[in-house]
Amino acid sequence: MSATGVQQVVAEMLQPYLDQEGFELVDVEYVKEGGNRYLRVYVDKEGGIDIDECGRISEYLSDRLDDKDPIPDAYILEVSSPGAERPLKKPEDFRRAVGKDVYITTYEPIGGKKEFEGRLLSYDENELTLNSGKKTDVIPTDKVAGARLAIIF
């Protein structure tokens, strides 16, 4: 099964439990690093998630994966918070990030740059507006390669 297939199966398996318990599925990764495969599940909730909650989610998912056995390869399961520099992937992630500091990378240069960091001023399905303190940049959403919350010192 492809990495995308694994991610989709895991998300579908886990989503009803997360909805019931008030958690948000932030991301699912299935990657090979060195000689090991990792299934990483990032979960959050309003006010943050703690280690005990991650443990409960991990147990629930591990039991379901053992029952269904959808992943043919051996892997290491990790369930955690997305952290302070949470990735922004879905439109609602960007909407929640308006007014916060973000780090954006683009597929191609915009105004001579492919990396942007600053306060997210606005977001819609077509573009986002970011202010670095020195300048305001407007970035088309279809040019965004990656985005995350940023801690700016």
Side-chain angles (χ1 to χ4, degrees):
M1 179 180 299
S2 72
T4 303
V6 168
Q7 292 165 327
Q8 184 175 352
V9 165
V10 169
E12 289 170 2
M13 193 178 288
L14 189 55
Q15 195 63 59
Y17 176 77
L18 296 178
D19 290 345
Q20 173 187 320
E21 298 297 318
F23 297 110
E24 174 193 0
L25 180 61
V26 175
D27 199 11
V28 176
E29 295 178 342
Y30 184 61
V31 296
K32 186 172 184 177
E33 294 176 0
N36 296 314
R37 291 193 181 274
Y38 292 87
L39 175 59
R40 293 188 177 116
V41 178
Y42 298 96
V43 182
D44 207 359
K45 71 174 186 178
E46 189 69 36
I49 189 167
D50 65 35
I51 195 163
D52 292 331
E53 292 166 324
C54 288
R56 285 199 321 268
I57 294 165
S58 180
E59 285 179 32
Y60 174 87
L61 181 57
S62 182
D63 290 346
R64 297 310 162 288
L65 290 168
D66 288 346
D67 288 344
K68 303 272 186 204
D69 200 21
I71 304 171
D73 303 308
Y75 59 89
I76 298 165
L77 174 62
E78 297 177 350
V79 175
S80 69
S81 160
E85 292 188 332
R86 173 189 173 139
L88 306 175
K89 297 196 172 229
K90 301 173 276 196
E92 51 270 21
D93 296 337
F94 284 94
R95 284 189 202 91
R96 262 195 311 254
V98 170
K100 296 179 181 173
D101 293 324
V102 298
Y103 174 78
I104 308 287
T105 59
T106 58
Y107 292 113
E108 58 191 49
I110 297 173
K113 298 183 340 180
K114 290 178 71 174
E115 296 182 26
F116 302 84
E117 191 169 60
R119 181 75 35 114
L120 183 61
L121 300 178
S122 67
Y123 167 83
D124 66 39
E125 60 277 351
N126 299 314
E127 63 187 26
L128 52 89
T129 305
L130 186 73
N131 184 284
S132 67
K134 299 174 186 169
K135 140 178 208 211
T136 299
D137 294 291
V138 176
I139 303 168
T141 55
D142 64 349
K143 303 292 184 211
V144 174
R148 63 174 167 77
L149 292 178
I151 299 174
I152 299 174
F153 297 96

